[in-house]
Amino acid sequence: MSAFNAIDTDREIEQEEFTPEIEPQATWCPGCGDFGVLKALKGAATELGLDPEEILLVTGIGCSGKLSSYFESYGFHSIHGRSLPVARAAKLANPELTVLAAGGDGDGYGIGGNHFMHTARENHDMTYIVFNNEIFGLTKGQTSPTSPKGHKSKTQPQGSAKDPLRPLSMSLSAGASYVARTAAVNPNQAKEILVEAIQHDGFSHVDFLTQCPTWNKDAKQYVPYIDIQQNDEYDFDVTERREAAEAMYETESALWEGKVLTGRYYQEDGRRTYHEEKMQQDSMPESPIAEQYFDDDHEWKRSYDLLDAHR
Amino acid sequence: MTENELIWRIAGGSGDGIDSTSQNFTKALMRAGLHVFTHRHYPSRIRGGHTYVEVRARGEPVQSRGDGYNFLLSLGDSFARNPQDDAYYGTEEVKPLTENLEDLNEGGIVVYDSGLLDEEDLPEDFDERAEANDWHVYPLDLRSIAKEHGREVMRNTAGVGATAALLDIDLRYFKELMAESMPEDVYETNVDVLEDAHGRVAEMDHDHDVSVPTGDHETEQVLLSASNAITYGALDEGCRFIAGYPMTPWTEVFTLMSQHLPEFGGVAEQVEDEIAAASLALGASHAGVKSMSGSSGGGFALMSEPLGLAEITETPVVLVEAARAGPSTGMPTKPEQGDLEHVLYTSQGDSNRVVFAPGNVAEAYEQTRKAFELAYDYHIPAIVMYDQKLSGELRNVDTDFFDREPNPDPGATLTEDELSEAAHHASGKFQRYQHDTPAGASPRSIPGQRGGRFLASGNEHTPEGHISEDPDNRVAQMNRRMEKLDSIEQDLAENASHQSRRGDEDATYGIMTFGSQQGTVEEAAEEIEAFLESVDECLVVEMNASAQFKGLVQRELGRFGPRMSSLLKYNGNPFEPAEIVEGFEATINGTEFERPTARFQPAAGD
């Protein structure tokens, strides 16, 4: 018998179960794109019939990091840039959990960039939502890794001399097996994409454009947007890596020109997730390690049986 | 000394198999009934560079490497570079001989491989020094003996054969060990080399006084390092997850855990950096698996951030800090205890952790187990600090010592049944961080459990984990977290303190040390005993330049500054007992401490 009975429960889930009564109202600024992420996530979790207690949501630091305060589930509000290493280890400890990680563009593409690359490469079965507002919001408007070249801020008074990084292309080359971009202003698409991302077996990365009306006033509100799956001009096969790479490149460049392209960019099916890979090579047990501690019949090996090498 | 102990040093190039040869030699002596202790010296280089291992054997338990040594087997450095004058690393070919002469005791034996070293390569004053110190020199063409039967690398075996002949050790133990580790054809060739070298040397004149002591073990013995012991302590305490990034000397524990965890039903992860490594350990522990990580100085610095997160989220975790000489990259393969303050205080806010510094193999096992127990009972990070001295030291321990039950208990963790009875917010959120709990630790739930949802946050938080800057809540949470240290202190006082005190209850003089220097100090204390007079003095012995351990004692006790002198060593090599004896004499007599290898710092005020 499992010690974790919230997992795979068979009951009707209401969307309001994902609203914490302790903190039902988010403290984001009026008009902030982050509300869109929260709503889309609640909608997706409800549609998937997930129990709040079978989800672990690990967040970083920043406005986006507060997602775990406003979404009712097991939550871990970690440190700046480190949500992914916390999240992926939790998944290895108990692969039956639904593991989500979230943070901002500074969190995921800047300070946590190394973890992003490696978590994508390893293809952990989890979903990573990046709130991309092309700015540092919580620290009041500094230039971020995705801010356009020339972007002026208090810390870049002459304007950023750096080209913004390309999050979708980076994700693809790092090894993510599902890559999409959506926008807070497009709630239906956002929810659908999150449903797909959570269902996807492997590392799914959603670059979520979240307008910042307070600190990024000169940035576009990400309207109008184009859904590339709904537009004949952008006909490509999301399962073809080369075609995906080209579409991503075009999408990233277009955003700097003020044109907002969103949709699914890459989906690789049939690739083993990281824990499946480890199980395949016998370097991880088939049943969740976390269960062992609650299982009275589990046989615990001891070091005494390893002493032959020392005699 | 020569009647009751052997200190055998095997020297060669890094990569010449010195380590494995010395290990078998040590095991052979252990099987022959002796107590053994090894000291490993190696450079931070990939191939080549002078390396040695010292093996000390006595009929009685051995606590340290001893003073000097009495048998040198110099095998030559087969990777020697830069033979020309003024080369950066000097004349490497002769280093396995010349670099070792300084410490060789009077009356000692030198066996060197004349197949690698010609007589004209020897230092000019070699014969003179040998005569002055009554050294007994045996040039042997070990390389040719090896090549005659097998391959050149077997010259190590030839060296062991020659040693056995000079010291009259039964070859049976070596043959047994080779048979256990080698394929049959390799074994047979090695036996030929061993016997041939033995036979040739047995025929020579033996006019030296070095001998192997005799001994007898009452129970079966095993040979381990502290790295083995930390690994076994962790496994026996139910640790099933490790994440790490390679760094000397931490790599040893990381490697051993990575090799054993799959067969123990756990997972080992090598990850992108040490911030990730510690964060993964937190993630796995949060999700219900007893977890650990660790590193050495530089990597441990990266762990400061997740360490603070573990303290405030009260996520249990055990970290190993395998110290080396710093700062920065420092001397990667050399021991030092300069990371003490780093380990005690690094990270944000008030430090809230337990640090263990085991002094030998047995303590490394016990204290690692205790570290896990405290971490999971009190939801606090526990750190096991050790260094290259302990990781490179092999010692014999009773096999029975390890014959005990594993403890997979997850500590203060609730089951779903218990959760249904536990305190919740009206909204159904579990109160993971209650203000008042008897021992300081508020029991936790694990993600996936019905009725256990809560938020863990690096921000100060309410009982449910939601962010709060309310002053009363802040003080209540801080107080509860800090109270854990009092509970742990009481726990340790009532059960095992893990402090060792040796000697007379009413002693007037004291020597205080921590971690890896313990055995050496103990041995020195035995020699000092006869020397005491009535003055209240204490010598604090530690391997760093700024007297950190003495500072810690003064800080915590608020007095005794005028009574504590310091003996500080930071040249990359561990203490020898004689240095401590001299430091002690300086404390008592006010004599000058004249050794260049360490620094004496007289007592001052508080």
Side-chain angles (χ1 to χ4, degrees):
Chain A
M1 207 193 92
S2 172
F4 303 98
N5 287 299
I7 296 171
D8 289 335
T9 43
D10 192 20
R11 67 180 185 91
E12 204 63 31
I13 306 289
E14 305 287 333
Q15 180 153 335
E16 67 217 34
E17 289 184 46
F18 294 103
T19 303
E21 272 179 51
I22 293 179
E23 228 175 330
Q25 284 180 323
T27 57
W28 293 313
C29 306
C32 175
D34 294 4
F35 288 103
V37 184
L38 178 60
K39 194 172 168 220
L41 182 59
K42 286 179 180 174
T46 310
E47 191 170 317
L48 290 166
L50 291 170
D51 189 300
E53 294 191 322
E54 66 180 309
I55 299 172
L56 175 63
L57 170 61
V58 187
T59 54
I61 297 295
C63 300
S64 56
K66 303 291 285 289
L67 185 71
S68 51
S69 293
Y70 309 137
F71 181 82
E72 187 79 341
S73 70
Y74 277 95
F76 200 131
H77 181 221
S78 68
I79 31 182
H80 201 29
R82 320 296 170 213
S83 64
L84 289 173
V86 173
R88 73 195 209 220
K91 185 72 184 182
L92 291 173
N94 190 350
E96 294 184 358
L97 287 171
T98 297
V99 177
L100 311 173
D105 46 294
D107 193 286
Y109 305 148
I111 193 167
N114 196 17
H115 310 310
F116 174 57
M117 270 180 354
H118 287 272
T119 312
R121 164 197 169 211
E122 292 166 11
N123 199 32
H124 292 269
D125 185 17
M126 52 186 276
T127 297
Y128 185 38
I129 304 169
V130 181
F131 294 55
N132 182 3
N133 57 7
E134 305 176 83
I135 199 85
F136 281 95
L138 194 63
T139 48
K140 304 193 172 180
Q142 297 80 9
T143 306
S144 88
T146 50
S147 297
K149 193 171 187 176
H151 175 91
K152 283 190 178 173
S153 69
K154 283 181 186 163
T155 53
Q156 307 269 290
Q158 273 75 41
S160 172
K162 304 171 191 193
D163 282 314
L165 62 74
R166 296 174 173 271
L168 307 174
S169 303
M170 192 165 90
S171 185
L172 182 73
S173 58
S177 53
Y178 180 97
V179 185
R181 168 173 273 177
T182 186
V185 290
N186 190 354
N188 292 331
Q189 186 210 46
K191 187 181 93 174
E192 281 167 24
I193 281 181
L194 286 183
V195 167
E196 283 174 29
I198 295 169
Q199 275 179 323
H200 174 75
D201 294 326
F203 186 74
S204 51
H205 166 221
V206 180
D207 183 79
F208 210 124
L209 296 171
T210 51
Q211 71 280 3
C212 178
T214 306
W215 299 108
N216 208 1
K217 286 190 172 56
D218 55 339
K220 45 273 138 186
Q221 291 292 307
Y222 306 120
V223 275
Y225 52 81
I226 294 165
D227 183 330
I228 50 164
Q229 266 80 39
Q230 307 287 334
N231 191 309
D232 293 342
E233 222 182 291
Y234 303 97
D235 184 31
F236 73 100
D237 183 352
V238 295
T239 63
E240 285 296 323
R241 173 175 279 268
R242 281 169 201 278
E243 291 183 35
E246 211 167 296
M248 288 173 177
Y249 190 87
E250 190 178 342
T251 295
E252 288 153 347
S253 304
L255 186 65
W256 308 338
E257 305 300 324
K259 188 170 173 186
V260 183
L261 302 180
T262 62
R264 294 89 173 153
Y265 287 86
Y266 185 59
Q267 185 160 1
E268 181 184 9
D269 290 319
R271 176 172 156 206
R272 271 196 289 271
T273 68
Y274 190 65
H275 67 264
E276 287 167 348
E277 201 75 63
K278 298 267 286 188
M279 286 173 186
Q280 174 84 7
Q281 49 158 243
D282 289 331
S283 56
M284 179 170 165
E286 296 280 338
S287 53
I289 307 172
E291 295 272 15
Q292 295 175 8
Y293 299 90
F294 295 93
D295 177 3
D296 293 337
D297 299 326
H298 184 76
E299 274 187 39
W300 291 88
K301 282 184 181 255
R302 57 185 197 140
S303 69
Y304 188 67
D305 301 325
L306 299 174
L307 292 180
D308 263 352
H310 303 282
R311 287 188 164 98
Chain B
M1 280 281 179
T2 48
E3 323 77 73
N4 59 17
E5 72 176 2
L6 168 70
I7 307 180
W8 180 79
R9 186 186 279 196
I10 176 172
S14 198
D16 276 337
I18 301 299
D19 223 36
S20 54
T21 304
S22 68
Q23 213 174 102
N24 273 348
F25 188 81
T26 313
K27 272 190 182 175
L29 296 180
M30 178 180 83
R31 288 186 184 184
L34 293 167
H35 289 274
V36 290
F37 183 108
T38 72
H39 162 64
R40 189 170 75 182
H41 169 102
Y42 65 108
S44 184
R45 278 188 46 190
I46 299 159
R47 276 292 167 111
H50 163 240
T51 176
Y52 70 75
V53 177
E54 242 172 48
V55 182
R56 187 179 185 200
R58 307 175 72 169
E60 302 296 312
V62 198
Q63 304 278 21
S64 85
R65 60 184 286 200
D67 295 314
Y69 70 100
N70 49 25
F71 191 120
L72 173 65
L73 172 61
S74 171
L75 291 169
D77 182 349
S78 61
F79 298 100
R81 276 159 226 186
N82 311 325
Q84 69 274 29
D85 288 340
D86 301 330
Y88 182 69
Y89 290 107
T91 315
E92 294 201 314
E93 279 170 334
V94 295
K95 278 191 174 186
L97 181 65
T98 54
E99 296 263 302
N100 293 298
L101 296 177
E102 190 66 34
D103 300 333
L104 181 60
N105 294 336
E106 250 177 58
I109 296 175
V110 180
V111 173
Y112 73 86
D113 188 351
S114 57
L116 271 175
L117 271 189
D118 291 336
E119 210 156 318
E120 58 260 31
D121 295 332
L122 298 180
E124 277 173 25
D125 62 350
F126 180 70
D127 290 340
E128 205 178 300
R129 287 176 75 183
E131 202 178 316
N133 288 294
D134 188 27
W135 292 335
H136 301 263
V137 183
Y138 297 86
L140 298 169
D141 191 350
L142 301 171
R143 186 160 71 159
S144 298
I145 298 174
K147 278 166 99 173
E148 203 180 308
H149 303 276
R151 292 184 302 125
E152 193 182 323
V153 288
M154 294 173 186
R155 65 179 186 273
N156 292 17
T157 306
V160 170
T163 303
L166 286 165
L167 298 176
D168 202 16
I169 308 173
D170 193 337
L171 287 182
R172 157 170 81 94
Y173 300 109
F174 302 110
K175 288 182 191 169
E176 256 175 38
L177 281 155
M178 292 194 298
E180 288 164 24
S181 62
M182 293 171 178
E184 205 173 321
D185 51 331
V186 182
Y187 165 71
E188 276 164 15
T189 321
N190 269 283
V191 168
D192 291 344
V193 172
L194 186 78
E195 285 180 341
D196 187 0
H198 185 271
R200 293 191 203 195
V201 176
E203 285 168 12
M204 298 178 177
D205 286 339
H206 296 187
D207 53 354
H208 61 82
D209 294 329
V210 182
S211 63
V212 182
T214 52
D216 190 19
H217 292 298
E218 277 175 24
T219 61
E220 194 203 24
Q221 302 291 301
V222 279
L223 186 70
L224 296 93
S225 75
S227 302
N228 298 128
I230 289 171
T231 304
Y232 294 160
L235 291 172
D236 286 348
E237 209 57 24
C239 174
R240 292 296 179 266
F241 185 91
I242 193 167
Y245 185 91
M247 183 167 186
T248 304
W250 142 258
T251 312
E252 277 192 16
V253 167
F254 182 39
T255 306
L256 290 166
M257 286 299 289
S258 300
Q259 287 167 355
H260 293 306
L261 269 177
E263 58 188 283
F264 274 64
V267 163
E269 278 291 290
Q270 182 179 319
V271 298
E272 59 270 24
D273 61 35
E274 287 89 349
I275 308 177
S279 300
L280 266 103
L282 295 192
S285 183
H286 183 77
V289 175
K290 289 174 124 176
S291 301
M292 70 185 290
S293 182
S295 191
S296 296
F300 194 80
L302 293 190
M303 296 185 169
S304 295
E305 198 189 23
L307 180 55
L309 183 67
E311 290 176 334
I312 197 166
T313 59
E314 303 182 56
T315 307
V317 70
V318 172
L319 301 177
V320 170
E321 208 260 7
R324 61 194 219 184
S328 191
T329 307
M331 295 200 282
T333 60
K334 304 294 177 194
E336 199 169 278
Q337 298 179 302
D339 285 351
L340 177 62
E341 289 178 347
H342 178 51
V343 168
L344 287 172
Y345 305 119
T346 186
S347 199
Q348 321 86 339
D350 292 295
S351 162
N352 190 233
R353 67 196 67 159
V354 185
V355 178
F356 289 91
N360 57 44
V361 172
E363 285 188 6
Y365 176 84
E366 301 269 18
Q367 294 184 16
T368 302
R369 289 197 69 159
K370 192 68 183 176
F372 273 95
E373 189 191 315
L374 293 178
Y376 282 82
D377 280 352
Y378 295 95
H379 301 164
I380 195 166
I383 299 167
V384 178
M385 183 184 181
Y386 83 131
D387 55 41
Q388 187 272 337
K389 177 177 184 295
L390 284 176
S391 69
E393 275 170 17
L394 296 170
R395 301 202 201 184
N396 59 299
V397 180
D398 292 348
T399 308
D400 294 345
F401 174 81
F402 294 98
D403 187 9
R404 40 182 125 183
E405 287 309 306
N407 173 33
D409 188 273
T413 304
L414 301 179
T415 60
E416 287 186 339
D417 283 346
E418 289 164 332
L419 273 168
S420 65
E421 307 286 318
H424 285 72
H425 181 266
S427 64
K429 213 155 193 163
F430 169 54
Q431 292 182 319
R432 159 76 178 87
Y433 304 105
Q434 295 173 54
H435 287 175
D436 293 309
T437 50
S442 186
R444 65 179 190 146
S445 62
I446 305 293
Q449 280 181 323
R450 163 84 53 225
R453 69 182 183 278
F454 72 99
L455 178 59
S457 181
N459 289 60
E460 190 57 271
H461 42 259
T462 66
E464 302 79 23
H466 279 257
I467 298 171
S468 167
E469 295 181 350
D470 175 78
D472 295 335
N473 175 71
R474 162 70 175 175
V475 171
Q477 295 290 14
M478 277 295 285
N479 288 351
R480 184 179 52 75
R481 289 193 297 262
M482 296 310 283
E483 271 166 26
K484 293 181 199 175
L485 297 177
D486 300 330
S487 308
I488 290 167
E489 202 178 321
Q490 211 177 327
D491 182 322
L492 292 172
E494 282 166 14
N495 301 303
S497 75
H498 297 279
Q499 308 293 329
S500 31
R501 191 185 192 284
R502 305 274 193 277
D504 212 341
E505 280 290 326
D506 333 308
T508 319
Y509 301 113
I511 302 183
M512 196 158 57
T513 191
F514 80 101
S516 59
Q517 305 309 308
Q518 184 181 301
T520 317
V521 170
E522 250 185 272
E523 190 172 326
E526 285 164 20
E527 290 180 39
I528 287 164
E529 224 174 342
F531 180 78
L532 305 177
E533 283 174 60
S534 60
V535 191
D536 292 317
E537 294 272 3
C538 181
L539 178 67
V540 187
V541 180
E542 53 189 311
M543 276 195 79
N544 60 59
S546 56
Q548 296 178 26
F549 183 59
K550 183 187 141 202
L552 173 69
V553 173
Q554 262 180 288
R555 182 192 132 103
E556 293 299 321
L557 301 180
R559 54 204 182 108
F560 300 126
R563 291 193 199 172
M564 292 190 289
S565 309
S566 279
L567 187 61
L568 307 169
K569 187 169 182 182
Y570 43 90
N571 70 348
N573 297 313
F575 281 105
E576 292 183 20
E579 290 171 319
I580 297 165
V581 172
E582 242 175 72
F584 195 75
E585 286 171 356
T587 315
I588 306 305
N589 295 345
T591 50
E592 205 66 30
F593 182 83
E594 280 172 348
R595 287 172 179 257
T597 48
R599 187 159 62 82
F600 177 75
Q601 193 174 282
D606 277 314

